[in-house]
Amino acid sequence: PVLLAGFTGAGALFASSTGVADLGGGRAVVAVGALGEQRAFLFERDAAAGTWAKHELSVGSSYLENPQGFGRSVGVGPKSVAVGSDVKKVFMYTKDIVGLVDRTYAMPL
């Protein structure tokens, strides 16, 4: 088991949404939403070191802060992460595509 905790305050609803992708060879990525703080995280496992790297996801410069409900839902795949919100948008983060995709900006991981 892996303990991913201590990244948010009390009442943040950390892990209110989660997504896991097994990349094979001991590598994995886990997306975690913290709806109470409108935050989302991506954890990447380095198989060689046996450690987890944490990346906090945000919507970038187009908003002053993450929108209402950011982190309500998350999905993760080998090269991309989706984070849902209450503003009728899904925020995409990817390792390959950067720029305008179907009128929604994809942000690099």
Side-chain angles (χ1 to χ4, degrees):
V2 176
L3 177 62
L4 300 175
F7 302 106
T8 59
L13 301 175
F14 184 78
S16 55
S17 58
T18 58
V20 179
D22 182 349
L23 305 179
R27 298 179 314 122
V29 289
V30 177
V32 178
L35 180 59
E37 291 184 359
Q38 298 173 172
R39 295 169 72 188
F41 301 90
L42 176 69
F43 297 91
E44 294 182 280
R45 185 171 191 281
D46 179 337
T51 59
W52 290 83
K54 176 188 72 96
H55 309 280
E56 184 161 357
L57 305 174
S58 68
V59 296
S61 61
S62 57
Y63 290 83
L64 293 175
E65 59 186 28
N66 291 342
Q68 185 68 32
F70 187 79
R72 174 174 302 286
S73 58
V74 295
V76 65
K79 294 188 178 186
S80 61
V81 178
V83 179
S85 70
D86 292 346
V87 296
K88 298 183 182 178
K89 290 187 178 182
V90 174
F91 296 88
M92 296 297 300
Y93 303 84
T94 179
K95 290 192 179 222
D96 292 335
I97 302 170
V98 177
L100 194 60
V101 180
D102 191 27
R103 296 180 298 192
T104 301
Y105 283 96
M107 302 189 55
L109 287 173

